[in-house]
Amino acid sequence: AVVSTQSTGIATKLNADVICFQETKISRSQLDNEVAKVDGFYSFFSFSTTKRGYSGVATYVSKRLCPYKVEFGSDVDIESEGRILVTYHRTTSTRSLAIINAYVPCGYESEDIDRYNAKLKFFEDLNSLVKRLDDQCIDVILVGDLNVKALLIDSAEAYENRKNSIFVSAWHNSADKVLFRSMQDESFTDCFRFLHPSKTRSYTCWNSGLNARVNNYGTRIDYVLVPKSFHHKIQYCEILSDVTGSDHCPVLAQLDIEDIVASEIVPPECSIHFPELKGEQQRLSSLFKRKLETDSGSDVFNSTNNKKPKNISKKVGPKQSKLCFKPKDMPKTTIRSQNVIYPDEITATIAVASKACSDNSNVGVSVKMLLTGLPKPPLCSGHQLKSALKTVTKDGETKGKRFYCCSLPIGPSGLVTSRCNFFKWLDK
């Protein structure tokens, strides 16, 4: 929940009653007043109890919509990773309202089958929770990073391969998408697709390692889902892609909900009851002014578009509710020159030289790299530009090996600004 000092208008731009964060990566011991106590809001946090600085979600609720109960989805969450937070709200009708803030595990069958199975189990348990609440006459709004692409147009890569029947069949039939579509078809309406059923190139997440945001080569995996009976309540839903600083961007939805009744008793799970937190509450604008310090000097939420989305600047009525959720923190980045040897590169070169000497092979090449640094990067075949040096991080026989690839960001094929297929190993 950090914003550049130049983006002071973001809080006014959102003007939301409920703000949901995913992957907060914060433990209770790290929580301070600046984050927990925000003027006009009650804050609730679900922490990972198994890993410090991992996962986690947080929900900020306007005091005029104070929930009467909060749960952490113990029957859904995996290994207490802090991925579920449910706030319950009374209404003037016979049905109550539950807002589920969820951060679904990221897992792919081809990479980590155990993690993928945990993701499937999460969807199954989440669907059971939704059904149980419906049986209790509780309407459910589900928001968050659900880590699944529902449609081909929700993935730049998939949309490029839409004419490949084998790819499309395998893509549609993957177990996570089947489970998600089943849950959605039975219980929910996707606010964004309800208003924009065929809109393409509308993504909420981009691979920062591949600089994919430059060419808008991303995925839409962040959702605001409402009960099917809420069709008439959906007034607005847009992806705020102009808000930068993270690999995700916010999704803002405006719902015409006028029957929520604030609880007079604040639930004990609220951060205002944490004895370790002392001091005065902060203003919402100060929460969104905190600066993320990166090696490259970039700021979080550095909005490049000052134009306010439709209906957002309009004053909200006393009982009208808006939901939005925010992007994750951007990992620190380092900009390096190809012509300078840095300590980690020296260490890597020494390791190569040591191994080469022990094998009595390639001694001359390794020693030369140690003394003179890395060779001049080759030009990529597609653009004739200096290539970028990368290191294999995935487990396997090639882990740790270095290679050259096109330095441009990944993007749609055929686009002149997209990365070409150039590849060359540095270490033979």
Side-chain angles (χ1 to χ4, degrees), residues 7-151:
S7 303
T8 55
I10 190 69
T12 303
K13 180 178 181 179
L14 292 177
N15 195 22
D17 292 316
V18 181
I19 306 175
C20 299
F21 297 80
Q22 298 82 44
E23 199 176 6
T24 55
K25 293 185 176 180
I26 190 172
S27 61
R28 178 162 171 170
S29 62
Q30 296 172 305
L31 200 60
D32 57 25
N33 285 320
E34 188 175 10
V35 173
K37 296 183 177 180
V38 179
D39 187 33
F41 284 79
Y42 292 122
S43 62
F44 304 89
F45 297 83
S46 181
F47 306 106
S48 171
T49 59
T50 55
K51 292 183 182 179
R52 181 181 173 87
Y54 178 75
S55 188
V57 296
T59 300
Y60 290 77
V61 182
S62 170
K63 290 183 177 180
R64 56 193 180 86
L65 301 179
C66 179
Y68 68 89
K69 184 173 69 170
V70 174
E71 290 182 341
F72 299 109
S74 58
D75 54 344
V76 177
D77 207 355
I78 57 171
E79 300 177 356
S80 302
E81 291 183 354
R83 294 180 176 274
I84 286 282
L85 198 159
V86 188
T87 58
Y88 293 88
H89 306 262
R90 291 191 178 93
T91 71
T92 57
S93 68
T94 57
R95 295 181 68 86
S96 297
L97 176 68
I99 301 175
I100 300 179
N101 180 3
Y103 175 35
V104 175
C106 180
Y108 299 95
E109 187 174 11
S110 60
E111 296 180 2
D112 188 337
I113 188 62
D114 291 337
R115 198 62 181 168
Y116 185 70
N117 287 335
K119 177 181 182 179
L120 301 181
K121 180 67 164 53
F122 192 96
F123 272 127
E124 291 172 351
D125 292 343
L126 184 60
N127 192 26
S128 297
L129 172 62
V130 171
K131 290 180 178 179
R132 174 168 61 83
L133 295 179
D134 183 61
D135 290 341
Q136 296 172 4
C137 292
I138 300 175
D139 291 321
V140 175
I141 296 175
L142 173 61
V143 306
D145 177 356
L146 304 186
N147 262 315
V148 64
K149 289 86 69 176
L151 305 172

Side-chain angles (χ1 to χ4, degrees), residues 5 42 89 123 156 163 179 184 196 229 239 243 264 270 328:
T5 54
Y42 292 122
H89 306 262
F123 272 127
K163 296 182 180 179
L179 282 173
Q184 183 179 336
H196 313 284
S229 60
I239 296 170
V243 179
E264 295 182 358
C270 182
K328 310 169 193 175

